[in-house]
Structure formats: structure tokens, C-alpha cells
Amino acid sequence: MKERFAKLLLGEDMSGGGKGVSSALALSNAITNHAASVFGEQAQLEPMSADRKARWRREIDWLLSVTDHIVELVPSQQVGNDGTKMEIMTTQQRRDLLINIPALRKLDAMLISYLDDFKDQNEFWYVQIDEENSEIGNTDRKDDKWWLPTVKVPPNGLSDISRKWLQFQKESVNQVLKAAMAINAQVLMEMDIPEAYIDSLPKNGKASLGDYLYRSITAEYFDPEQFLASVDLSTEHKVLDLKNRIEASVVIWKRKMHNKDGKTWSSVVSLEKREQFEERAETILHLLKHRFPGTPQSALDACKIQFNKDVGQSVLESYSRVLESLAYTVMSRIEDVLYADQVVQDPIKKIYSRSSSELKEEMENQDSSEGRVSLTLSDFMGWPFEQDKGNEKLPGNFDSLLCSEESELKKLPRIVTPKKVSYIEKVENLGGLRSPTSRH
């Protein structure tokens, strides 16, 4: 513990030469690296070992203990010996930390408990890469998860009970993923935009977007879905490039609307039009976040994390980000099992030989056609989550497990929501999340 905090105090520069990073960034890196060392081994749906659990809990408690000393003054009443009351100021943990740290701890415990639920499962198993060729009828993986062990299911596929239970587990993890994403997005939004990022911006939004994107966003008729269909989002790099361009234009327009930009700009575009363009760009960003939530951090987000000096915000951002990554990992492993079951049910599809994006889109279309609609972020905030239990009673401990999971979902912690996100109402009913990629 002394060694860990000595490294944090020195900003990761153990030479003591003063060349280390800020305390906020050092703490953020420490949480990220610790999560990578513990959860990076989670390649299968199985409980974490007792040693890994203890190591994760012990060191994350050390790192989070810093926030106990980030306080603010709040009014309180004190009663004297003679019965007189006086108002005094007392210290209390800063409000955003007081609300979100317990919420993130709860999400953390829930994700680990979901992994523990797979302890006694026996309807699927894994074949390691070196054992794969010895399996008769094994389908070679050609998607973006080629390094993971291949999932195997019985010749007739999973039982209906196991399939329903896996779907329930997937929805449960999806809710945790949405919660972690909401907290992370809120913290990043509240971070100040660094001057280094502002200095790198072009003089206007058109220069940032390019002619085609600018014309599309500023056209008289604008449909965000049609806009995304018209641009190339075939690779992660292209999605990230689009996000960087739009975020830069949003920052430029906001600064110009508030007269904070020293650069000259034309008055041809009215303030109302500029606000409309900014709102359209925010809508596109929100759609991109929910369609590709696992894309690497944008240039703006990375710059905010690098130059942020608020230790409390750094802890919230990094902790929510690593939980978001773990939630994705668990949900992705569940999807692997469901894909393997679908291969057995309909071998002609050759699911494992197709791209991951095609697989995810096909599964989502199938979910919609069967009437299973993923919950939106606004649904999550109220947690009106009900699982269709059907008429079939689950044998063994599945009934008690489902009941306990459902009751636990209804008790999810409070989180701080954004103060102003006017575009959410327009897109909150678009459907569920697509599985992101890990963001360690």
C-alpha cells in the first residue's frame, strides 16, 4: 500500500525528478491498470478465483479511499448545552462522489455476482485454441474474437430453460452497462475542455466537418438516421474519425455562440441556426455513442482525461470506464454462447465465419421480430424492469436465482444524470445497446 501511494504522490515518476503526471491522471491510470490486470484474464463465463476477487477488492478500496478526503462544507445545526441552536458548517464528502461512488460499488458487486452465477452450469463448455483442431465438426472462427476459446454446446443446442436464463443474464448485464455508461458520460461532460484542445481546433465548424458532412448537417431537412446511413461506418477508425470531427464542430459552435472564441467568424449564420446545427450534431453524437459505445475514446475525451486536475472526477471517470469494460466482456461472452447455440439450431448460417457486426445486427433484428425490445437509458433510470417468466417453471435453483436477480435489478443505485441533454428525448427509444469493445 505504501509503495502504491508513493508512486501516486510522485505522479508515476519514481525518480522524484518532478517529471511525473498530475495526481488526477496518476490515479486514473492506476485504476485502469489494476482493472486490466484483474479482468483481462476473463475469457470465459466462469466465476473469478478467490485470489483475483480479493486482489481486486483490496486494491480498488485503496484507490477509492482517496475520495473520502475530498469534501465540501455544508450547513448543519448544533445544539449547545443550554439548549440553544446555532448553524455551523460541517464537512461532507463532495456530492458527486457521495452519490456515484456507492452506485459504482454496487454495479461492481453485481457484475462479479453475475459471473458467480455460472459456477454450476454444464450445458456449454470451451475448447482452447490448441485443442480446436482435434474437435470434429468445429467451425473456425474468422471474426474479431479469434484469440478466445471456442464455445461448444450439445448437439441439440441449449435447453429452453438455459436459453431463457442466458437471455435474462444478458439483459441484466446490459442494464449495468447502461448505468456505467451514464455515469462516465456525465463525468466527462462536466470536465473542463483543455486549452490544448481548443488551440488545435480549426477556425470554423465547416473546416472541421468537411464540405459533405457540413452540407448534410446544415440542410433544411435533417434526419439523423438517414445521415448515419449515408456515411461510411464500416470500421472503428471511421466511426472514431466522424465522432472527432463532430465533437470539434460542436465545441466551435458553442464557443462562438457564447462569444468565447477570439478567432474571427462570419455573422452570415444566425444564432438560431447555429444552435440548430449544434443540436443536430449532439443528436448524431448520441446515436454514435449508443450504436458504437465501445469505440476508443475520442480526441476530446482523451484530452480531458489527460489534462484534468480534479482527482474526484478522475476517480469517477476511470472507475465507471473499467466497469463499463467488464460489463461488455461479460455480455460478449454470453453472446458467444447464444451464437454457438444458434449455429447448432441452424448450421447453414455459419455464424462464426461471418463478421461480428453482421452477427450482432442479425441477433438484434431477431430480438425485435420476436418482440423482445431492449430497454432504453430512460427506462433504466426508473428501473421498470420485468422479466417474462413464461408458463414454464424453472427447475432446481433457477427460480430462486431469477427472483434474486430481478429483485436486485430493482434496487440498483442512484446515479447523477446530465443536467442538460436536450437531444436525448429524440433518440431514447431507438433500441438497446450494441456490444462495445473493451476500453482498457
Side-chain angles (χ1 to χ4, degrees):
M1 183 174 180
K2 289 181 179 179
E3 182 181 355
R4 178 59 58 87
F5 276 99
K7 186 176 181 180
L8 292 176
L9 287 172
L10 293 173
E12 300 177 349
D13 178 22
M14 299 302 287
S15 68
K19 298 180 180 179
V21 299
S22 66
S23 298
L25 182 57
L27 195 56
S28 175
N29 291 339
I31 294 175
T32 303
N33 294 335
H34 178 46
S37 66
V38 174
F39 301 130
E41 308 168 15
Q42 200 68 39
Q44 302 180 10
L45 285 176
E46 59 184 5
M48 294 172 58
S49 65
D51 178 66
R52 285 172 61 202
K53 281 184 186 178
R55 181 160 58 94
W56 165 252
R57 182 53 52 209
R58 180 179 64 253
E59 296 196 25
I60 198 65
D61 285 345
W62 291 352
L63 298 172
L64 293 179
S65 66
V66 176
T67 61
D68 295 338
H69 305 281
I70 302 176
V71 297
E72 61 185 358
L73 293 173
V74 295
S76 178
Q77 281 197 344
Q78 185 181 53
V79 180
N81 294 331
D82 56 355
T84 59
K85 296 181 179 180
M86 67 181 75
E87 188 175 84
I88 61 173
M89 301 298 287
T90 59
T91 59
Q92 174 184 284
Q93 189 178 27
R94 204 171 70 189
R95 180 171 175 77
D96 59 334
L97 301 172
L98 185 64
I99 293 176
N100 286 322
I101 290 295
L104 290 171
R105 285 185 179 274
K106 178 67 174 177
L107 298 176
D108 185 349
M110 290 178 67
L111 286 174
I112 294 177
S113 70
Y114 291 148
L115 289 173
D116 291 339
D117 291 342
F118 290 93
K119 179 179 180 180
D120 298 322
Q121 74 78 25
N122 55 10
E123 288 209 27
F124 61 88
W125 62 97
Y126 292 89
V127 178
Q128 299 299 328
I129 296 177
D130 55 349
E131 302 173 358
E132 209 170 324
N133 294 331
S134 63
E135 291 265 339
I136 299 176
N138 180 66
T139 304
D140 293 334
R141 299 190 69 146
K142 298 179 181 179
D143 59 7
D144 55 358
K145 303 175 186 176
W146 57 268
W147 66 91
L148 295 174
T150 303
V151 182
K152 294 293 181 180
V153 297
N156 296 327
L158 300 173
S159 65
D160 290 340
I161 294 174
S162 293
R163 193 176 297 112
K164 290 180 180 179
W165 181 71
L166 281 171
Q167 286 288 353
F168 175 79
Q169 292 291 89
K170 178 183 173 182
E171 288 294 335
S172 301
V173 176
N174 193 23
Q175 303 313 307
V176 177
L177 176 62
K178 289 179 179 180
M181 287 179 60
I183 295 176
N184 187 263
Q186 170 66 12
V187 175
L188 285 172
M189 185 183 70
E190 291 180 349
M191 287 184 180
D192 295 333
I193 300 175
E195 289 296 327
Y197 179 82
I198 295 174
D199 293 340
S200 67
L201 295 176
K203 63 179 182 180
N204 54 49
K206 183 176 182 179
S208 172
L209 292 170
D211 291 339
Y212 175 75
L213 295 179
Y214 182 79
R215 286 198 307 269
S216 300
I217 292 178
T218 59
E220 183 176 355
Y221 173 77
F222 175 76
D223 182 356
E225 289 286 352
Q226 185 177 347
F227 172 83
L228 291 180
S230 66
V231 296
D232 185 4
L233 302 176
S234 57
T235 64
E236 185 180 83
H237 173 74
K238 292 178 179 178
V239 174
L240 183 60
D241 179 66
L242 176 63
K243 186 176 180 181
N244 286 334
R245 289 173 178 271
I246 294 180
E247 279 188 341
S249 65
V250 169
V251 173
I252 293 171
W253 287 333
K254 283 184 176 180
R255 289 178 61 81
K256 288 183 175 180
M257 284 189 294
H258 293 85
N259 295 325
K260 292 182 179 180
D261 198 340
K263 302 172 184 177
T264 59
W265 54 283
S266 173
S267 59
V268 174
V269 181
S270 65
L271 180 63
E272 291 76 14
K273 282 287 186 181
R274 201 174 295 278
E275 288 179 346
Q276 184 185 46
F277 300 159
E278 184 263 336
E279 185 175 349
R280 289 176 176 181
E282 294 266 18
T283 303
I284 296 172
L285 287 175
H286 190 75
L287 285 170
L288 288 174
K289 180 177 178 61
H290 280 262
R291 287 194 179 185
F292 310 97
T295 53
Q297 289 164 335
S298 65
L300 176 58
D301 290 345
C303 197
K304 283 184 174 181
I305 294 171
Q306 180 182 356
F307 291 95
N308 173 54
K309 304 298 183 183
D310 190 309
V311 173
Q313 287 182 335
S314 288
V315 171
L316 288 178
E317 190 282 327
S318 55
Y319 193 23
S320 60
R321 173 163 39 86
V322 298
L323 291 182
E324 178 185 333
S325 177
L326 176 59
Y328 154 72
T329 300
V330 177
M331 193 165 70
S332 181
R333 299 297 89 83
I334 295 175
E335 287 180 342
D336 287 344
V337 179
L338 295 175
Y339 293 158
D341 177 60
Q342 191 173 353
V343 167
V344 173
Q345 300 294 332
D346 191 359
I348 299 178
K349 292 184 178 180
K350 299 291 183 183
I351 291 185
Y352 281 115
S353 64
R354 301 169 63 189
S355 67
S356 59
S357 59
E358 291 175 342
L359 297 178
K360 293 168 186 174
E361 186 167 354
E362 180 179 333
M363 290 295 290
E364 289 169 358
N365 292 336
Q366 181 180 355
D367 286 349
S368 300
S369 64
E370 293 176 1
R372 296 193 298 270
V373 180
S374 300
L375 298 182
T376 63
L377 183 58
S378 60
D379 293 330
F380 153 76
M381 296 303 181
W383 289 104
F385 183 72
E386 295 181 1
Q387 177 69 18
D388 183 9
K389 302 180 180 61
N391 297 324
E392 181 180 13
K393 185 174 179 58
L394 303 181
N397 64 349
F398 279 109
D399 270 335
S400 59
L401 181 58
L402 287 179
C403 291
S404 64
E405 296 291 349
E406 186 172 358
S407 61
E408 191 172 10
L409 280 174
K410 294 179 180 178
K411 297 178 182 178
L412 272 172
R414 297 167 55 202
I415 66 173
V416 176
T417 57
K419 299 176 182 177
K420 180 182 178 183
V421 277
S422 60
Y423 54 90
I424 285 185
E425 296 179 359
K426 298 184 177 181
V427 293
E428 63 179 358
N429 295 319
L430 292 176
L433 297 175
R434 297 191 177 192
S435 299
T437 54
S438 184
R439 294 203 300 167
H440 282 305

